[in-house]
């Protein structure tokens, strides 16, 4: 069996999964990957919740500037991320990058953080889906449906899509995203036509961006981009992974960054810069429906509430697929039980990873429901903030891994520009480190709890604990299962 370049710990990397492992079917191209990326970010959900939360909690009027600034950071990150994706084209993504750049134990630690972070995002969004859908049904029919029952129902639906071929999920996301963008663009145009204080440029100034709780605002804004980094998870299913991952990620960053900056400006203009913060504090997510109804009529408010539900559904589909592919990658390389790495013989999907993610969502949802916890204040807020901290850490580790990867493999570095292999990753790592520190230091504000609340440390502690457990497991594999250890993060390394 041919060997790839040695990993950072000096042991040879075995190229490829065991010979008996079935190959995934390459069914999706750039548009399909973009659908998964943008769907995870959930544009309509961000417009209703992300914009208003960032405005109301922080008082920062220059939110559009921050959305543009974070998009620049993500573009820098993508430069190194895409360069590495041309040499590591398996579905391990951050896990494989960290293993190849920083060593196999670091890769396993990264994988465990990713599993906790993405599962937390998935279950948190499921809680929001249950609460939003229950409220919608009760308001229009008078029937009270338990939020957890709706979560179990949507989890079954998402699980079925995850079990099927990946292009089935991509087609569903394409339809849902088209509706999302149409709704938000209609809202934006309506606000520009009914701006009480005119088309103000005040929210577009640097002074407005720096005025208020900037650190918290950056964390909220960064959280709106969650899921954009997932392109590499589909490398095994891309028609041309060495080009598709980079193109899809750049496209998603550009589309989402411009869209969020423009839409947040439209919302502030629609409310009036002098009133936007106060209205966001008073109304929260309802602000989008209130402003939309005033500008476009009550029918818009009803439709947008319905499409908010489908927006969350699209995000659930995307995160579910991401988790399933992480599990499949870890099972294929025997970091987790080998059976989890199996592909469905007909659909070519990581169906066992999909089933495991479904079981996790059901178990955590039942636990929260049995404890009588609120689906928004507890399930959604706690878990999505936990997931966001984890993803920020993953991106920081990946940026460092890119530099280390090319530094240790000079023969590969000659094919990549200095900008992609060193400069851009370093320029991305600096703000990512700052944002990670801000996310930890302001975590109580993001949760809406007192600084002394135990959750302020318990939830971020789960990220630390998962990283430590992964590192320990990686070292254990090196001692007890050297063959499995040699495969870590190398299933498609070139």
């Amino acid at each position: 069996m041919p060997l790839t370049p040695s990993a950072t710990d000096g042991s040879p990397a075995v190229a490829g999964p065991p010979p008996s492992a079935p190959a995934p079917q390459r069914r999706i191209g750039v548009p399909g990957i973009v659908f998964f990326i943008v769907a995870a970010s959930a544009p309509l959900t961000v417009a209703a919740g992300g914009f208003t939360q960032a405005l109301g909690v922080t008082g920062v009027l220059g939110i559009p500037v921050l959305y543009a600034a974070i998009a620049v950071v993500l573009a820098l990150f993508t430069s190194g991320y895409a360069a590495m994706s041309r040499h590591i084209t398996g579905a391990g993504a951050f896990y494989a990058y960290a293993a190849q750049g920083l060593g196999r134990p670091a890769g396993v630690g990264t994988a465990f953080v990713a599993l906790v972070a993405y599962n937390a995002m998935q279950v948190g969004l499921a809680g929001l889906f249950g609460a939003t859908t229950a409220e919608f049904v009760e308001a229009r029919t008078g029937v009270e449906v338990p939020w957890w029952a709706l979560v179990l129902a949507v989890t079954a639906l998402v699980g079925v899509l995850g079990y099927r071929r990946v292009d089935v999920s991509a087609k569903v996301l394409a339809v849902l995203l088209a509706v999302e963008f149409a709704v938000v663009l209609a809202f934006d145009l309506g606000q520009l036509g009914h701006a009480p204080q005119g088309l103000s440029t005040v929210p577009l100034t640097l002074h407005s961006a720096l005025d208020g709780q900037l650190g918290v605002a950056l964390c909220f804004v960064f959280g709106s981009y969650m899921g954009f980094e997932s392109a590499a998870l589909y490398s095994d299913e891309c028609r041309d992974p060495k080009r598709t991952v980079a193109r899809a990620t750049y496209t998603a960053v550009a589309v989402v960054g411009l869209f969020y900056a423009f839409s947040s400006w439209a919302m502030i203009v629609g409310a009036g810069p002098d009133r936007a913060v106060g209205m966001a504090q008073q109304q929260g997510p309802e602000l989008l429906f209130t402003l939309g109804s005033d500008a476009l009529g009550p029918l818009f408010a009803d439709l947008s509430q319905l499409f908010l539900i489908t927006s969350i559904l699209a995000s659930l589909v995307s995160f579910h697929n991401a988790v399933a592919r992480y599990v499949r990658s870890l099972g294929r390389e025997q970091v987790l039980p080998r059976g989890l790495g199996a592909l469905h013989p007909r659909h070519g999907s990581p169906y066992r990873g999909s089933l495991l993610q479904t079981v996790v969502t059901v178990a955590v949802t039942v636990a929260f429901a049995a404890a009588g916890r609120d689906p928004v204040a507890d399930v959604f807020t706690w878990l999505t903030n936990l997931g966001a901290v984890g993803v920020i850490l993953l991106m920081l580790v990946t940026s460092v891994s890119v530099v280390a990867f090319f530094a240790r493999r000079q023969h590969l570095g000659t094919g990549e520009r200095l900008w992609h292999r060193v400069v851009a990753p370093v320029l991305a790592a600096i703000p990512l480190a700052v944002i990670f520190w801000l996310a930890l230091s302001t975590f109580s504000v993001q949760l809406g709890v007192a600084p002394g609340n135990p959750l302020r440390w318990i939830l971020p502690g789960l990220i630390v604990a998962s990283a430590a457990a992964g590192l320990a497991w990686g070292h254990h594999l090196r001692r007890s299962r050297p063959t499995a250890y040699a495969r870590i993060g190398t299933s498609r390394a070139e």
Side-chain angles (χ1 to χ4, degrees), residues 320-338:
H320 176 89
N321 277 276
V323 173
R325 278 150 184 81
Y326 253 112
V327 171
R328 190 252 166 170
S329 183
L330 293 170
R332 175 180 58 183
E333 295 171 12
Q334 300 175 38
V335 175
L336 295 180
R338 181 186 296 182

Side-chain angles (χ1 to χ4, degrees), residues 365-412:
T365 297
V366 169
F368 271 98
R373 309 308 305 192
D374 185 88
V376 177
D378 299 333
V379 182
F380 174 71
T381 302
W382 292 3
L383 297 184
T384 55
N385 278 288
L386 167 63
V389 169
V391 172
I392 295 169
L393 178 59
L394 291 174
M395 292 175 64
L396 174 59
V397 169
T398 300
S399 293
V400 177
S401 299
V402 171
V403 178
F405 176 81
F406 287 110
R408 291 185 169 96
R409 294 165 176 81
Q410 297 295 328
H411 68 291
L412 296 180

Side-chain angles (χ1 to χ4, degrees), residues 79-122:
S79 292
Y81 174 71
M84 203 162 174
S85 73
R86 288 188 280 270
H87 303 280
I88 300 177
T89 56
F94 291 161
Y95 150 66
Y97 295 178
Q100 286 292 315
L102 301 177
R104 292 179 174 86
V108 180
T110 300
F112 281 27
V113 170
L115 288 176
V116 171
Y118 283 119
N119 272 293
M121 294 294 291
Q122 175 76 0

Side-chain angles (χ1 to χ4, degrees), residues 48-217:
F51 296 169
T52 54
Q53 187 179 44
L55 275 173
V57 174
T58 70
V60 176
L61 198 63
I63 293 297
V65 177
L66 299 185
Y67 273 108
I70 293 297
V72 172
V73 173
L74 297 183
L76 291 170
F77 171 82
T78 300
S79 292
Y81 174 71
M84 203 162 174
S85 73
R86 288 188 280 270
H87 303 280
I88 300 177
T89 56
F94 291 161
Y95 150 66
Y97 295 178
Q100 286 292 315
L102 301 177
R104 292 179 174 86
V108 180
T110 300
F112 281 27
V113 170
L115 288 176
V116 171
Y118 283 119
N119 272 293
M121 294 294 291
Q122 175 76 0
V123 180
L125 285 166
L128 179 64
F129 177 92
T132 303
T133 307
E135 181 180 341
F136 182 85
V137 170
E138 183 177 2
R140 283 150 186 82
T141 67
V143 177
E144 293 187 20
V145 182
W147 67 269
W148 52 266
L150 293 167
V151 170
L152 297 181
V154 78
T155 299
L157 172 60
V158 171
V160 169
L161 291 174
Y163 193 88
R164 299 291 301 277
R165 290 176 0 205
V166 68
D167 56 327
V168 174
S169 292
K171 291 172 183 176
V172 172
L173 292 180
V175 174
L176 296 179
L177 276 177
V179 172
E180 277 193 71
F181 273 93
V183 170
V184 180
L185 283 174
F187 171 83
D188 294 343
L189 296 177
Q191 301 315 299
L192 298 183
H194 292 76
Q197 295 175 319
L199 302 181
S200 173
T201 59
V202 172
L204 304 179
T205 63
L206 183 61
H207 178 269
S208 295
L210 300 177
D211 185 24
Q213 297 186 59
L214 177 60
V216 181

Side-chain angles (χ1 to χ4, degrees), residues 245-292:
V245 170
R247 292 174 180 174
T249 307
Y250 277 122
T251 300
V253 170
V255 169
V256 173
L258 290 172
F259 191 69
Y260 285 168
F262 176 72
S263 297
S264 58
W265 174 68
M267 174 177 282
I268 294 170
V269 165
D274 293 344
R275 303 187 305 161
V277 172
M279 292 181 70
Q281 291 172 340
Q282 294 171 5
Q283 299 186 35
E286 290 295 322
L287 180 59
L288 181 132
F289 308 128
T290 299
L291 294 176

